[in-house]
Amino acid sequence: MPDVSPWREPVPPDGTMGEPRARGRFGEYGGRYAPESLVEACREVDEAFREAWADPGFRGALARLLAVHAGRPTPLTPARRLSEALGVQLYLKREDLTHTGSHKINNVLGQALLAIRMGRRRLIAETGAGQHGVATATAAALLGLEATVFMGERDIERQALNVFRMRMLGAEVVPVSTGSRTLKDATSEAMRHWVGATGDSHYCVGSVVGPDPYPWMVREFQRVIGDEARAQCAAELRTGVPDHVVACVGGGSNAAGTFAGFADTPARLVGVEAEGGAGAARGRLGVLHGCRSLFLQDDDGQIAQPHSIAAGLDYPGVGPEHAHLRDLGRARYVTVTDDEAVGAAVRLARTEGIVPALESAHALAWVISAAGGGDLPAGSTVLMTLSGRGDKDVSTLKELL
Ligand SMILES: *Cc1c(COP(=O)(O)O)cnc(C)c1O
Protein backbone atom coordinates (compact mmCIF):
# COMPACT_ATOMS: atom_id res chain seq x y z
CA MET A 1 0.00 0.00 0.00
CA PRO A 2 1.61 3.29 -1.02
CA ASP A 3 2.34 5.56 1.86
CA VAL A 4 1.54 8.83 0.38
CA SER A 5 2.06 11.65 2.75
CA PRO A 6 4.81 11.91 5.36
CA TRP A 7 4.62 12.37 9.12
CA ARG A 8 6.33 15.16 10.83
CA GLU A 9 7.73 14.43 14.27
CA PRO A 10 7.43 15.54 16.91
CA VAL A 11 3.82 16.58 16.64
CA PRO A 12 3.77 20.38 16.24
CA PRO A 13 2.19 22.43 19.01
CA ASP A 14 -1.31 23.51 18.28
CA GLY A 15 -2.74 26.30 16.65
CA THR A 16 -3.96 23.58 14.26
CA MET A 17 -7.71 22.99 14.13
CA GLY A 18 -8.67 26.26 15.73
CA GLU A 19 -10.44 28.95 13.75
CA PRO A 20 -9.25 29.41 10.17
CA ARG A 21 -7.36 32.60 9.32
CA ALA A 22 -9.15 35.56 7.72
CA ARG A 23 -11.44 34.67 4.81
CA GLY A 24 -11.53 31.01 5.75
CA ARG A 25 -7.89 30.20 5.03
CA PHE A 26 -6.24 27.00 6.21
CA GLY A 27 -2.66 27.70 5.12
CA GLU A 28 -2.91 28.29 1.39
CA TYR A 29 -6.23 26.42 1.11
CA GLY A 30 -9.88 27.35 1.63
CA GLY A 31 -11.35 30.73 0.76
CA ARG A 32 -14.63 31.78 -0.82
CA TYR A 33 -14.42 31.38 -4.60
CA ALA A 34 -18.04 31.93 -5.51
CA PRO A 35 -20.23 34.19 -7.65
CA GLU A 36 -20.97 37.55 -6.05
CA SER A 37 -24.48 36.71 -4.87
CA LEU A 38 -23.18 33.59 -3.12
CA VAL A 39 -20.29 35.48 -1.55
CA GLU A 40 -22.92 37.62 0.18
CA ALA A 41 -24.98 34.56 1.15
CA CYS A 42 -21.86 32.89 2.59
CA ARG A 43 -21.07 36.04 4.54
CA GLU A 44 -24.54 35.87 6.11
CA VAL A 45 -24.08 32.18 6.99
CA ASP A 46 -20.69 33.01 8.52
CA GLU A 47 -22.10 35.81 10.63
CA ALA A 48 -25.08 33.74 11.78
CA PHE A 49 -22.88 30.75 12.61
CA ARG A 50 -20.39 32.79 14.66
CA GLU A 51 -23.24 34.29 16.64
CA ALA A 52 -25.01 30.97 17.14
CA TRP A 53 -21.86 29.09 18.11
CA ALA A 54 -21.16 31.67 20.81
CA ASP A 55 -24.74 31.38 22.13
CA PRO A 56 -25.25 28.80 24.91
CA GLY A 57 -28.95 28.70 23.97
CA PHE A 58 -28.14 27.49 20.45
CA ARG A 59 -25.58 24.98 21.70
CA GLY A 60 -28.03 23.66 24.27
CA ALA A 61 -30.81 23.25 21.71
CA LEU A 62 -28.45 21.37 19.38
CA ALA A 63 -27.13 19.15 22.18
CA ARG A 64 -30.71 18.28 23.15
CA LEU A 65 -31.64 17.40 19.56
CA LEU A 66 -28.52 15.26 19.22
CA ALA A 67 -29.39 13.45 22.44
CA VAL A 68 -33.11 12.85 22.10
CA HIS A 69 -33.36 12.50 18.34
CA ALA A 70 -30.00 11.35 17.02
CA GLY A 71 -28.98 9.02 19.87
CA ARG A 72 -25.88 10.80 21.19
CA PRO A 73 -23.55 10.20 22.86
CA THR A 74 -22.57 7.21 20.75
CA PRO A 75 -20.63 4.46 22.52
CA LEU A 76 -16.91 3.75 22.39
CA THR A 77 -16.73 0.01 21.71
CA PRO A 78 -13.58 -2.04 22.32
CA ALA A 79 -13.13 -4.42 19.37
CA ARG A 80 -11.92 -7.26 21.59
CA ARG A 81 -11.61 -10.24 19.25
CA LEU A 82 -10.18 -8.25 16.38
CA SER A 83 -7.73 -6.47 18.70
CA GLU A 84 -6.44 -9.76 19.98
CA ALA A 85 -5.89 -11.05 16.44
CA LEU A 86 -4.12 -7.83 15.33
CA GLY A 87 -2.00 -7.31 18.43
CA VAL A 88 -3.23 -3.74 18.94
CA GLN A 89 -5.98 -2.28 21.11
CA LEU A 90 -8.69 -1.06 18.78
CA TYR A 91 -11.60 1.08 19.97
CA LEU A 92 -14.49 2.03 17.69
CA LYS A 93 -16.37 5.33 17.92
CA ARG A 94 -19.83 4.19 16.90
CA GLU A 95 -21.35 6.77 14.54
CA ASP A 96 -23.13 3.82 12.90
CA LEU A 97 -25.47 3.84 15.90
CA THR A 98 -26.84 7.34 15.27
CA HIS A 99 -30.33 7.91 13.87
CA THR A 100 -30.15 7.51 10.06
CA GLY A 101 -26.98 5.45 10.50
CA SER A 102 -24.05 7.79 9.91
CA HIS A 103 -22.30 10.86 11.28
CA LYS A 104 -24.03 13.07 8.64
CA ILE A 105 -26.91 13.77 11.03
CA ASN A 106 -24.60 15.72 13.44
CA ASN A 107 -23.87 18.36 10.81
CA VAL A 108 -27.35 18.45 9.34
CA LEU A 109 -29.11 19.07 12.66
CA GLY A 110 -26.67 21.92 13.34
CA GLN A 111 -27.25 23.55 9.96
CA ALA A 112 -31.02 23.04 10.13
CA LEU A 113 -31.16 24.86 13.48
CA LEU A 114 -29.00 27.60 12.00
CA ALA A 115 -31.32 27.89 8.98
CA ILE A 116 -34.29 28.42 11.30
CA ARG A 117 -32.33 31.03 13.26
CA MET A 118 -31.68 32.82 9.95
CA GLY A 119 -35.38 32.77 9.08
CA ARG A 120 -34.98 30.32 6.20
CA ARG A 121 -37.75 27.84 5.48
CA ARG A 122 -36.04 25.45 3.08
CA LEU A 123 -32.86 23.37 2.99
CA ILE A 124 -31.00 22.73 -0.27
CA ALA A 125 -28.58 19.80 -0.34
CA GLU A 126 -26.48 17.72 -2.70
CA THR A 127 -26.12 13.99 -2.26
CA GLY A 128 -24.11 11.15 -3.79
CA ALA A 129 -25.09 7.84 -2.24
CA GLY A 130 -28.02 9.53 -0.57
CA GLN A 131 -26.79 9.48 3.06
CA HIS A 132 -26.53 13.26 3.34
CA GLY A 133 -29.82 13.62 1.44
CA VAL A 134 -31.59 11.29 3.84
CA ALA A 135 -30.12 13.10 6.85
CA THR A 136 -31.23 16.45 5.40
CA ALA A 137 -34.73 15.16 4.63
CA THR A 138 -34.91 13.77 8.18
CA ALA A 139 -33.88 17.04 9.85
CA ALA A 140 -36.25 19.02 7.62
CA ALA A 141 -39.20 16.79 8.52
CA LEU A 142 -38.30 16.94 12.21
CA LEU A 143 -38.04 20.74 12.30
CA GLY A 144 -40.79 21.67 9.84
CA LEU A 145 -38.59 22.83 6.94
CA GLU A 146 -38.81 21.96 3.24
CA ALA A 147 -35.97 20.04 1.62
CA THR A 148 -34.76 20.02 -1.99
CA VAL A 149 -32.04 17.46 -2.69
CA PHE A 150 -29.95 17.45 -5.88
CA MET A 151 -28.75 14.04 -7.00
CA GLY A 152 -27.03 12.83 -10.17
CA GLU A 153 -29.15 10.62 -12.45
CA ARG A 154 -26.61 7.82 -12.24
CA ASP A 155 -26.71 7.87 -8.45
CA ILE A 156 -30.51 7.92 -8.53
CA GLU A 157 -30.41 4.65 -10.48
CA ARG A 158 -27.80 3.12 -8.16
CA GLN A 159 -29.37 4.23 -4.87
CA ALA A 160 -33.08 3.64 -5.38
CA LEU A 161 -33.70 2.83 -1.73
CA ASN A 162 -32.31 6.13 -0.41
CA VAL A 163 -34.24 8.04 -3.10
CA PHE A 164 -37.41 6.42 -1.82
CA ARG A 165 -36.48 7.21 1.81
CA MET A 166 -36.00 10.91 0.95
CA ARG A 167 -39.35 11.10 -0.84
CA MET A 168 -41.06 9.23 1.99
CA LEU A 169 -39.66 11.88 4.37
CA GLY A 170 -41.25 14.56 2.21
CA ALA A 171 -38.17 15.88 0.38
CA GLU A 172 -38.09 16.82 -3.27
CA VAL A 173 -35.34 14.91 -5.13
CA VAL A 174 -34.12 16.76 -8.23
CA PRO A 175 -32.31 14.60 -10.84
CA VAL A 176 -29.12 16.13 -12.29
CA SER A 177 -28.38 15.13 -15.88
CA THR A 178 -25.20 17.17 -16.52
CA GLY A 179 -21.61 15.89 -16.68
CA SER A 180 -20.96 12.49 -15.18
CA ARG A 181 -24.40 12.64 -13.46
CA THR A 182 -22.88 11.98 -10.03
CA LEU A 183 -21.97 13.90 -6.83
CA LYS A 184 -19.69 16.55 -8.36
CA ASP A 185 -22.43 17.59 -10.79
CA ALA A 186 -25.14 17.47 -8.12
CA THR A 187 -23.03 19.84 -5.99
CA SER A 188 -22.55 22.28 -8.88
CA GLU A 189 -26.29 22.22 -9.59
CA ALA A 190 -27.23 22.76 -5.92
CA MET A 191 -24.93 25.82 -5.78
CA ARG A 192 -26.43 27.17 -9.00
CA HIS A 193 -29.92 26.71 -7.61
CA TRP A 194 -28.97 28.47 -4.35
CA VAL A 195 -27.99 31.61 -6.33
CA GLY A 196 -31.66 32.17 -7.12
CA ALA A 197 -32.99 31.17 -3.72
CA THR A 198 -30.69 32.70 -1.07
CA GLY A 199 -33.57 34.74 0.42
CA ASP A 200 -35.59 31.80 1.67
CA SER A 201 -33.20 28.82 1.48
CA HIS A 202 -30.10 27.61 3.29
CA TYR A 203 -27.59 25.47 1.40
CA CYS A 204 -26.77 22.59 3.71
CA VAL A 205 -23.35 21.35 2.52
CA GLY A 206 -22.65 17.72 3.48
CA SER A 207 -18.91 17.74 4.19
CA VAL A 208 -15.96 19.99 5.09
CA VAL A 209 -15.83 21.36 1.54
CA GLY A 210 -17.26 24.36 -0.32
CA PRO A 211 -16.75 28.10 0.26
CA ASP A 212 -15.95 29.61 3.66
CA PRO A 213 -17.50 29.19 6.27
CA TYR A 214 -18.59 25.65 5.35
CA PRO A 215 -15.31 23.74 5.90
CA TRP A 216 -14.92 25.27 9.35
CA MET A 217 -18.61 25.22 10.30
CA VAL A 218 -19.14 21.59 9.28
CA ARG A 219 -16.01 20.57 11.22
CA GLU A 220 -17.35 22.36 14.29
CA PHE A 221 -20.71 20.56 13.96
CA GLN A 222 -18.84 17.24 13.62
CA ARG A 223 -16.39 17.84 16.47
CA VAL A 224 -18.94 16.29 18.81
CA ILE A 225 -17.48 12.96 17.59
CA GLY A 226 -13.95 13.90 18.66
CA ASP A 227 -14.97 15.63 21.89
CA GLU A 228 -17.03 12.65 23.04
CA ALA A 229 -14.32 10.20 22.02
CA ARG A 230 -11.66 12.21 23.86
CA ALA A 231 -13.65 12.04 27.10
CA GLN A 232 -14.46 8.35 26.59
CA CYS A 233 -10.80 7.54 25.94
CA ALA A 234 -9.79 9.46 29.06
CA ALA A 235 -12.19 7.32 31.08
CA GLU A 236 -11.48 3.94 29.49
CA LEU A 237 -7.92 3.83 28.14
CA ARG A 238 -5.00 3.14 30.43
CA THR A 239 -3.01 5.80 28.57
CA GLY A 240 -5.89 8.30 28.46
CA VAL A 241 -5.13 9.32 24.89
CA PRO A 242 -4.85 6.76 22.06
CA ASP A 243 -1.57 6.46 20.15
CA HIS A 244 -3.39 6.67 16.82
CA VAL A 245 -6.65 8.27 15.71
CA VAL A 246 -7.94 6.92 12.40
CA ALA A 247 -10.90 7.86 10.18
CA CYS A 248 -11.93 7.50 6.54
CA VAL A 249 -11.83 10.60 4.32
CA GLY A 250 -14.22 11.45 1.50
CA GLY A 251 -14.65 15.22 1.74
CA GLY A 252 -13.30 14.71 5.24
CA SER A 253 -16.04 15.62 7.74
CA ASN A 254 -16.04 12.58 10.03
CA ALA A 255 -12.24 12.67 10.06
CA ALA A 256 -12.10 16.42 10.75
CA GLY A 257 -14.63 16.11 13.58
CA THR A 258 -12.69 13.24 15.08
CA PHE A 259 -9.25 14.86 14.67
CA ALA A 260 -10.50 18.10 16.25
CA GLY A 261 -10.95 16.31 19.58
CA PHE A 262 -7.31 15.17 19.56
CA ALA A 263 -5.49 18.03 17.79
CA ASP A 264 -3.83 19.18 21.02
CA THR A 265 -2.67 15.69 22.06
CA PRO A 266 0.31 13.66 20.86
CA ALA A 267 -2.04 11.21 19.05
CA ARG A 268 -1.03 10.51 15.46
CA LEU A 269 -3.86 11.38 13.08
CA VAL A 270 -4.42 9.14 10.06
CA GLY A 271 -6.92 9.85 7.26
CA VAL A 272 -7.72 6.90 5.01
CA GLU A 273 -8.84 7.60 1.46
CA ALA A 274 -10.09 5.38 -1.33
CA GLU A 275 -7.36 4.51 -3.82
CA GLY A 276 -9.55 6.01 -6.59
CA GLY A 277 -10.59 9.13 -4.65
CA ALA A 278 -7.36 10.16 -2.94
CA GLY A 279 -7.60 13.96 -2.97
CA ALA A 280 -5.29 14.50 0.01
CA ALA A 281 -2.80 11.80 -0.92
CA ARG A 282 -2.61 12.43 -4.67
CA GLY A 283 -4.53 15.59 -5.53
CA ARG A 284 -3.15 18.81 -6.98
CA LEU A 285 -3.97 22.40 -6.11
CA GLY A 286 -7.17 23.61 -7.72
CA VAL A 287 -10.48 25.38 -7.13
CA LEU A 288 -13.81 23.56 -7.12
CA HIS A 289 -17.18 24.29 -5.55
CA GLY A 290 -16.03 27.60 -4.11
CA CYS A 291 -12.90 26.35 -2.41
CA ARG A 292 -9.15 26.10 -3.02
CA SER A 293 -7.89 22.66 -2.12
CA LEU A 294 -6.37 19.46 -3.48
CA PHE A 295 -8.28 17.76 -6.30
CA LEU A 296 -7.68 14.86 -8.64
CA GLN A 297 -7.06 16.39 -12.06
CA ASP A 298 -5.95 15.32 -15.50
CA ASP A 299 -2.96 16.93 -17.27
CA ASP A 300 -5.16 19.79 -18.49
CA GLY A 301 -6.37 20.59 -14.98
CA GLN A 302 -9.81 19.09 -15.62
CA ILE A 303 -11.30 17.53 -12.50
CA ALA A 304 -10.99 13.76 -12.81
CA GLN A 305 -13.82 11.33 -12.19
CA PRO A 306 -13.16 9.47 -8.92
CA HIS A 307 -13.90 5.74 -8.51
CA SER A 308 -14.60 4.00 -5.25
CA ILE A 309 -16.78 1.10 -4.18
CA ALA A 310 -17.84 3.37 -1.30
CA ALA A 311 -20.09 6.09 -2.72
CA GLY A 312 -19.29 8.43 0.18
CA LEU A 313 -15.60 8.45 -0.79
CA ASP A 314 -16.39 9.12 -4.45
CA TYR A 315 -15.44 12.83 -4.29
CA PRO A 316 -12.56 14.12 -6.45
CA GLY A 317 -11.03 16.27 -3.73
CA VAL A 318 -10.63 16.81 -0.03
CA GLY A 319 -11.56 19.63 2.34
CA PRO A 320 -9.04 22.49 2.65
CA GLU A 321 -8.20 21.82 6.30
CA HIS A 322 -7.05 18.28 5.46
CA ALA A 323 -4.84 19.67 2.70
CA HIS A 324 -3.33 21.99 5.30
CA LEU A 325 -2.91 19.26 7.96
CA ARG A 326 -1.16 17.19 5.32
CA ASP A 327 1.25 20.01 4.47
CA LEU A 328 1.99 20.53 8.17
CA GLY A 329 2.58 16.81 8.64
CA ARG A 330 0.11 16.93 11.55
CA ALA A 331 -2.08 14.29 9.88
CA ARG A 332 -1.05 11.66 7.43
CA TYR A 333 -3.15 10.41 4.51
CA VAL A 334 -3.00 6.87 3.19
CA THR A 335 -5.00 4.92 0.62
CA VAL A 336 -6.83 1.61 0.56
CA THR A 337 -8.21 -0.39 -2.40
CA ASP A 338 -11.82 -1.52 -2.91
CA ASP A 339 -10.81 -5.14 -2.24
CA GLU A 340 -9.03 -4.30 1.01
CA ALA A 341 -12.12 -2.39 2.20
CA VAL A 342 -14.48 -5.26 1.38
CA GLY A 343 -12.16 -7.68 3.20
CA ALA A 344 -12.13 -5.42 6.25
CA ALA A 345 -15.93 -5.15 6.25
CA VAL A 346 -16.27 -8.95 6.30
CA ARG A 347 -13.65 -9.25 9.02
CA LEU A 348 -15.41 -6.77 11.31
CA ALA A 349 -18.75 -8.49 10.71
CA ARG A 350 -17.31 -11.86 11.71
CA THR A 351 -15.17 -10.82 14.66
CA GLU A 352 -17.29 -8.11 16.28
CA GLY A 353 -20.80 -8.61 14.90
CA ILE A 354 -20.80 -5.19 13.22
CA VAL A 355 -21.45 -4.67 9.49
CA PRO A 356 -19.76 -1.33 8.74
CA ALA A 357 -20.40 1.10 5.89
CA LEU A 358 -17.88 0.50 3.10
CA GLU A 359 -16.51 4.00 3.73
CA SER A 360 -15.71 3.14 7.35
CA ALA A 361 -14.28 -0.21 6.22
CA HIS A 362 -11.50 1.76 4.49
CA ALA A 363 -10.28 3.07 7.83
CA LEU A 364 -10.36 -0.43 9.26
CA ALA A 365 -8.50 -1.86 6.25
CA TRP A 366 -5.59 0.46 7.00
CA VAL A 367 -5.56 -0.59 10.66
CA ILE A 368 -5.56 -4.27 9.64
CA SER A 369 -2.75 -3.86 7.11
CA ALA A 370 -0.59 -1.61 9.31
CA ALA A 371 -1.02 -3.45 12.63
CA GLY A 372 2.23 -4.87 13.96
CA GLY A 373 4.37 -2.92 11.45
CA GLY A 374 6.36 0.29 11.85
CA ASP A 375 3.29 2.48 11.28
CA LEU A 376 1.22 0.81 13.98
CA PRO A 377 3.53 -1.10 16.36
CA ALA A 378 2.21 -4.06 18.35
CA GLY A 379 0.51 -2.92 21.54
CA SER A 380 -0.57 0.49 20.17
CA THR A 381 -3.92 1.88 21.14
CA VAL A 382 -6.06 2.94 18.18
CA LEU A 383 -9.24 4.97 18.13
CA MET A 384 -11.11 4.51 14.85
CA THR A 385 -14.28 6.32 13.88
CA LEU A 386 -16.84 3.93 12.45
CA SER A 387 -18.61 6.55 10.36
CA GLY A 388 -21.69 4.54 9.41
CA ARG A 389 -23.51 1.24 9.26
CA GLY A 390 -23.41 -1.09 6.28
CA ASP A 391 -27.10 -1.60 5.53
CA LYS A 392 -26.89 0.69 2.50
CA ASP A 393 -24.08 -1.46 1.08
CA VAL A 394 -25.55 -4.95 1.35
CA SER A 395 -26.63 -5.09 -2.31
CA THR A 396 -23.09 -4.07 -3.39
CA LEU A 397 -21.57 -6.66 -1.07
CA LYS A 398 -24.05 -9.33 -2.20
CA GLU A 399 -22.69 -9.03 -5.76
CA LEU A 400 -19.13 -9.61 -4.54
CA LEU A 401 -19.31 -12.22 -1.80
C1 LIG B 1 -20.66 10.48 3.56
C2 LIG B 1 -19.96 9.43 4.30
C3 LIG B 1 -18.57 9.40 4.44
C4 LIG B 1 -17.64 10.40 3.78
O1 LIG B 1 -17.83 11.72 4.15
P1 LIG B 1 -16.80 12.55 5.04
O2 LIG B 1 -17.24 13.94 4.87
O3 LIG B 1 -15.44 12.29 4.52
O4 LIG B 1 -16.94 12.06 6.44
C5 LIG B 1 -17.99 8.42 5.23
N1 LIG B 1 -18.75 7.46 5.81
C6 LIG B 1 -20.09 7.43 5.69
C7 LIG B 1 -20.85 6.35 6.36
C8 LIG B 1 -20.75 8.41 4.92
O5 LIG B 1 -22.08 8.37 4.80
Side-chain angles (χ1 to χ4, degrees):
M1 186 184 319
D3 227 353
V4 251
S5 76
W7 283 127
R8 202 177 79 189
E9 302 249 39
V11 168
D14 267 38
T16 53
M17 306 206 82
E19 249 187 59
R21 298 209 321 266
R23 297 185 309 282
R25 292 289 177 176
F26 301 93
E28 61 171 315
Y29 308 103
R32 197 179 280 168
Y33 296 86
E36 214 162 311
S37 57
L38 289 194
V39 168
E40 176 54 23
C42 289
R43 203 196 50 71
E44 285 176 33
V45 173
D46 184 61
E47 194 179 292
F49 173 65
R50 280 173 192 279
E51 226 180 72
W53 213 224
D55 174 2
F58 180 87
R59 292 227 184 191
L62 179 56
R64 207 153 43 243
L65 265 185
L66 288 170
V68 303
H69 204 79
R72 305 211 71 90
T74 59
L76 183 71
T77 302
R80 290 197 200 286
R81 290 194 343 111
L82 188 54
S83 291
E84 201 176 298
L86 296 176
V88 297
Q89 288 182 53
L90 175 62
Y91 292 82
L92 305 173
K93 179 61 176 161
R94 301 290 305 279
E95 295 305 292
D96 60 315
L97 293 179
T98 56
H99 181 48
T100 69
S102 86
H103 66 289
K104 298 263 175 14
I105 195 75
N106 305 328
N107 166 46
V108 164
L109 286 175
Q111 288 200 50
L113 276 188
L114 187 69
I116 291 169
R117 193 176 165 105
M118 294 176 75
R120 308 292 189 254
R121 55 169 190 83
R122 187 168 67 123
L123 299 177
I124 299 168
E126 79 295 336
T127 200
Q131 293 300 102
H132 176 58
V134 167
T136 302
T138 299
L142 173 68
L143 297 170
L145 297 165
E146 291 170 34
T148 306
V149 181
F150 290 83
M151 189 169 187
E153 278 179 345
R154 250 188 94 211
D155 289 331
I156 287 182
E157 286 161 24
R158 292 191 290 188
Q159 305 288 340
L161 192 63
N162 273 343
V163 175
F164 175 75
R165 285 168 82 192
M166 287 184 264
R167 291 186 170 142
M168 167 119 192
L169 289 158
E172 180 193 10
V173 179
V174 181
V176 174
S177 57
T178 48
S180 56
R181 300 179 294 136
T182 57
L183 178 59
K184 172 168 72 70
D185 313 287
T187 308
S188 305
E189 204 52 43
M191 288 185 79
R192 236 186 317 269
H193 178 78
W194 193 32
V195 172
T198 52
D200 72 344
S201 302
H202 173 73
Y203 180 19
C204 181
V205 176
S207 189
V208 285
V209 298
D212 176 56
Y214 285 97
W216 171 53
M217 177 171 73
V218 175
R219 180 250 280 169
E220 287 298 289
F221 285 141
Q222 291 292 3
R223 78 177 301 140
V224 66
I225 306 173
D227 288 345
E228 280 178 15
R230 175 81 179 270
Q232 290 166 321
C233 285
E236 292 183 34
L237 269 60
R238 197 172 27 81
T239 49
V241 172
D243 301 316
H244 290 77
V245 173
V246 185
C248 67
V249 174
S253 68
N254 87 88
T258 305
F259 292 176
F262 295 89
D264 64 346
T265 76
R268 296 178 175 203
L269 311 177
V270 182
V272 185
E273 301 189 286
E275 178 73 23
R282 304 245 172 72
R284 286 189 287 140
L285 190 62
V287 172
L288 181 69
H289 299 144
C291 165
R292 191 166 193 251
S293 191
L294 297 171
F295 299 98
L296 298 176
Q297 301 168 50
D298 66 18
D299 292 337
D300 299 326
Q302 291 294 313
I303 300 296
Q305 182 61 31
H307 293 285
S308 169
I309 195 170
L313 305 186
D314 227 341
Y315 188 73
V318 71
E321 189 166 32
H322 287 292
H324 182 50
L325 291 172
R326 184 195 92 145
D327 284 3
L328 290 175
R330 177 65 186 92
R332 182 190 206 192
Y333 297 85
V334 296
T335 64
V336 155
T337 65
D338 285 357
D339 287 351
E340 289 174 303
V342 170
V346 173
R347 186 127 184 227
L348 190 69
R350 294 185 184 171
T351 51
E352 303 296 334
I354 299 168
V355 177
L358 281 172
E359 291 83 1
S360 325
H362 282 70
L364 184 65
W366 180 78
V367 172
I368 290 173
S369 74
D375 286 340
L376 201 54
S380 308
T381 47
V382 183
L383 168 76
M384 190 198 105
T385 294
L386 196 75
S387 56
R389 64 176 184 231
D391 305 40
K392 69 184 178 57
D393 297 317
V394 288
S395 62
T396 305
L397 288 166
K398 202 161 143 247
E399 305 269 298
L400 296 171
L401 300 175

